[in-house]
């Protein structure tokens, strides 16, 4: 009996190949109508409300595939304000402000510019861990924007390491900061999917002074750890003066709305070295 020919690697054509053919149809009333487009090439169809479950899946899948292909085994996540200036820009921010409340706010933000330096230094330390058999460890991951986020990605770039940026579509333009690795710069429509990617590989999280976005990300993480959805990991709140003023954690425990032991879920720290020492001890680095 003559041996059967080897089975081809693929039985069906790839979607890419089929799409190339589908893009060159004979022009008729039928082929010109959107209904004739391949579903995955039909933007009008994909953007319908009914296709939301598909879009949610795509936002989860796209970044996940890219991070896996980059062999990113774990991340060090940075949360923080998009308004705190770098030390180089602090004086200019104050100088450009108007006398009065505007000047007071500018001076308050400028006084926090040292956190930019701290975030940058912590990112350098995390990025120096490198790679093991499982992949790249403690890869810096930020929201991809300016200020504290920029400092984190910049710290990774300082030591020649890759870093991740997870931007979100906002009513005002938010351009990825220039220090994010281009192939690891993502843009999200859904906050929920963005927050999932922040935490799926996180082995440590640093929260610097910030606003609603920082609070949203931080308290969701604390809730996940508190409820056992996420294993305990080093969580850092940078700036005792800031955090003790804006959140009275002890009062929550005194009121009984959280357990006293929940105060041990995070560390309030001031310096990069202080936080990194806790990470090293936690993971026996």
């Amino acid at each position: 009996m003559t041996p059967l020919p080897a089975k081809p690697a693929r039985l069906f054509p790839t979607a890419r190949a089929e799409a190339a053919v589908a893009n060159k149809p004979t022009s008729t009333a039928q082929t010109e109508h959107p209904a004739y487009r391949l579903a995955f090439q039909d933007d009008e169809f994909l953007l319908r409300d009914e296709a939301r479950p598909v879009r949610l899946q795509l936002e989860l899948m796209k970044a996940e595939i890219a991070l896996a292909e980059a062999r990113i085994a774990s991340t060090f996540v940075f949360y923080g304000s998009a308004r705190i200036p770098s030390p180089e820009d602090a004086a200019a921010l104050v100088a450009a402000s108007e006398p009065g409340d505007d000047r007071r706010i500018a001076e308050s933000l400028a006084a926090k510019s040292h956190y930019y330096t701290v975030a940058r230094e912590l990112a350098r330390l995390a990025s120096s861990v490198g790679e093991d058999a499982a992949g790249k460890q403690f890869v810096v991951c930020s929201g991809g924007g300016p200020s504290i986020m920029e400092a984190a990605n910049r710290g990774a770039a300082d030591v020649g390491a890759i870093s991740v940026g997870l931007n979100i579509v906002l009513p005002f333009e938010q351009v990825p900061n220039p220090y994010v690795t281009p192939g690891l710069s993502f843009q999200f429509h859904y906050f929920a999917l963005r927050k999932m990617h922040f935490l799926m590989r996180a082995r440590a999280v640093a929260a610097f002074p910030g606003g609603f976005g920082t609070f949203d990300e931080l308290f969701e993480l604390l809730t996940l750890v508190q409820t056992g959805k996420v294993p305990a990991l080093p969580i850092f709140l940078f700036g005792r003066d800031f955090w003790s003023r804006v959140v009275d954690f002890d009062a929550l425990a005194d009121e009984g709305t959280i357990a006293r032991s929940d105060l041990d879920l995070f560390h309030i720290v001031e310096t990069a070295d202080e936080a990194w020492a806790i990470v090293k001890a936690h993971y026996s680095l």
Side-chain angles (χ1 to χ4, degrees):
M1 177 178 176
T2 304
L4 293 174
K7 183 180 178 181
R10 289 187 64 98
L11 186 60
F12 296 104
T14 65
R16 187 184 300 276
E18 289 282 73
V21 175
N23 281 334
K24 301 175 183 178
T26 301
S27 181
T28 68
Q30 291 77 25
T31 63
E32 293 298 328
H33 195 281
Y36 194 71
R37 296 172 191 158
L38 289 172
F40 56 81
Q41 290 189 308
D42 187 346
D43 288 346
E44 293 179 20
F45 169 69
L46 289 174
L47 295 176
R48 290 174 63 104
D49 284 348
E50 298 91 333
R52 182 177 293 118
V54 177
R55 294 195 301 273
L56 287 164
Q57 186 175 11
L58 289 173
E59 285 215 337
L60 179 63
M61 185 188 301
K62 181 180 179 181
E64 174 60 25
I65 289 173
L67 294 171
E69 289 179 344
R71 298 194 73 250
I72 296 177
S74 69
T75 56
F76 198 131
V77 175
F78 287 70
Y79 297 145
S81 175
R83 304 184 183 193
I84 294 173
S86 66
E88 307 98 275
D89 297 333
L93 177 68
V94 175
S97 63
E98 297 293 331
D101 198 48
D102 186 49
R103 177 68 51 82
R104 180 190 62 77
I105 292 172
E107 290 173 345
S108 175
L109 290 171
K112 297 178 180 65
S113 65
H114 70 282
Y115 289 119
Y116 184 104
T117 302
V118 174
R120 185 176 176 183
E121 176 57 28
L122 181 59
R124 288 194 198 106
L125 292 169
S127 299
S128 298
V129 172
E131 189 170 354
D132 60 19
K136 299 177 180 69
Q137 302 292 352
F138 294 102
V139 175
V140 167
C141 177
S142 84
S147 189
I148 295 299
M149 296 172 279
E150 176 188 284
N153 297 116
R154 187 175 180 182
D158 287 341
V159 294
I162 63 172
S163 68
V164 180
L166 306 179
N167 284 77
I168 187 81
V169 177
L170 297 172
F172 46 90
E173 184 180 19
Q174 186 197 54
V175 178
N177 72 68
Y179 302 103
V180 180
T181 301
L184 299 173
S185 181
F186 307 101
Q187 184 173 214
F188 290 85
H189 170 62
Y190 298 106
F191 270 104
L193 272 299
R194 180 183 186 236
K195 288 194 286 185
M196 280 191 69
H197 277 295
F198 271 130
L199 299 181
M200 284 171 66
R201 287 173 168 78
R203 296 190 76 186
V205 176
F208 287 82
F212 289 159
T214 300
F215 276 55
D216 175 42
E217 293 153 351
L218 171 64
F219 280 96
E220 179 164 311
L221 170 60
L222 290 174
T223 301
L224 290 170
V225 177
Q226 180 198 49
T227 56
K229 294 289 187 180
V230 170
L233 72 165
I235 301 171
F236 302 106
L237 278 58
F238 277 84
R240 183 172 297 278
D241 288 346
F242 174 82
W243 290 106
S244 62
R245 182 182 179 204
V246 300
V247 184
D248 194 335
F249 290 103
D250 286 316
L252 290 174
D254 291 341
E255 293 290 336
T257 55
I258 65 171
R260 180 65 57 179
S261 59
D262 289 335
L263 300 178
D264 298 328
L265 297 179
F266 56 87
H267 308 269
I268 298 180
V269 296
E270 299 293 341
T271 69
D273 287 337
E274 185 181 0
W276 189 240
I278 293 171
V279 171
K280 289 199 298 182
H282 185 88
Y283 292 109
S284 301
L285 295 181

